[in-house]
Amino acid sequence: MSTTQSDRLRGLLEPLVAAKGLDLEEIEMSRAGKRRMLRIIVDSDEGVELDACAELSREVSDKLDETDVMGEDEYVLEVSSPGADRPLTEHRHYVRAIGRLVKFQLSAEGDKGDKGDKGAGELVARILDVDDEGLDLEVPGVKGRKATARRIAFTDIAKARVEIEFNRKDKKEEEA
């Protein structure tokens, strides 16, 4: 997708998405046989329900039909929420992941020469808090050891992705 088309789509769609109280996370254009596939990813602090995606899809479709931004070729429109395995790239993504277990790839910039846990490498930890500079984490203990607290700066994160937990109890279950 050309930058111009991407910018036009973003300018056209962002007000529709924002009116629903959602964030426009991503716009992807790809080929699916002879057709093009337009995928719009939206999210919010409370998550996105299927009905909201369906309603937004109808509104986006109507808006695209009113304009020439997609040209004359056929296309398939898909409006969805991000998958559980999407990378955390924006400050709001980390805020939404508070309480979740995250796998971090740390950048080499934090490495001071020793290969301890402060340098480049991989870290799996639970996000406890997020501020403008970085994250407060709880690193799970290994082999019966207690969990430890750790702070990392956003500048030390090369990549981050939520880890799927199948056996973790919901906070509401823990309080009951």
Side-chain angles (χ1 to χ4, degrees), residues 2-153:
S2 71
T3 305
T4 305
Q5 185 181 30
S6 176
D7 291 342
R8 285 184 67 201
L9 279 168
R10 186 165 286 281
L12 187 70
L13 301 178
E14 228 158 20
L16 287 174
V17 173
K20 298 282 184 205
L22 303 172
D23 296 316
L24 179 57
E25 294 290 343
E26 192 173 338
I27 299 173
E28 294 176 2
M29 179 76 79
S30 61
R31 282 259 170 226
K34 293 183 179 185
R35 293 184 180 163
R36 292 175 297 161
M37 169 73 85
L38 175 60
R39 181 172 291 124
I40 299 167
I41 310 295
V42 295
D43 201 3
S44 79
D45 291 343
E46 294 79 33
V48 182
E49 293 186 6
L50 185 58
D51 290 342
C53 284
E55 186 178 326
L56 182 60
S57 179
R58 286 188 291 276
E59 289 181 23
V60 166
S61 180
D62 290 344
K63 189 61 129 178
L64 292 175
D65 289 346
E66 294 171 8
T67 69
D68 66 345
V69 72
M70 292 301 293
E72 296 297 318
D73 295 339
E74 291 184 24
Y75 65 92
V76 175
L77 173 63
E78 179 182 302
V79 176
S80 67
S81 61
D85 63 341
R86 76 113 181 256
L88 304 178
T89 57
E90 302 284 335
H91 185 272
R92 67 179 178 264
H93 298 164
Y94 291 97
V95 171
R96 290 175 184 157
I98 289 175
R100 308 280 309 268
L101 198 62
V102 175
K103 184 179 198 175
F104 297 94
Q105 287 294 130
L106 302 177
S107 64
E109 295 167 11
D111 192 359
K112 303 291 187 239
D114 67 88
K115 295 296 178 194
D117 75 343
K118 297 286 185 208
E122 206 170 83
L123 171 68
V124 176
R126 190 167 311 282
I127 298 177
L128 299 177
D129 196 22
V130 179
D131 60 31
D132 290 340
E133 287 82 41
L135 312 168
D136 292 323
L137 306 173
E138 178 184 72
V139 181
V142 180
K143 297 183 182 176
R145 294 188 180 138
K146 283 188 170 184
T148 56
R150 177 155 177 198
R151 171 105 180 140
I152 58 173

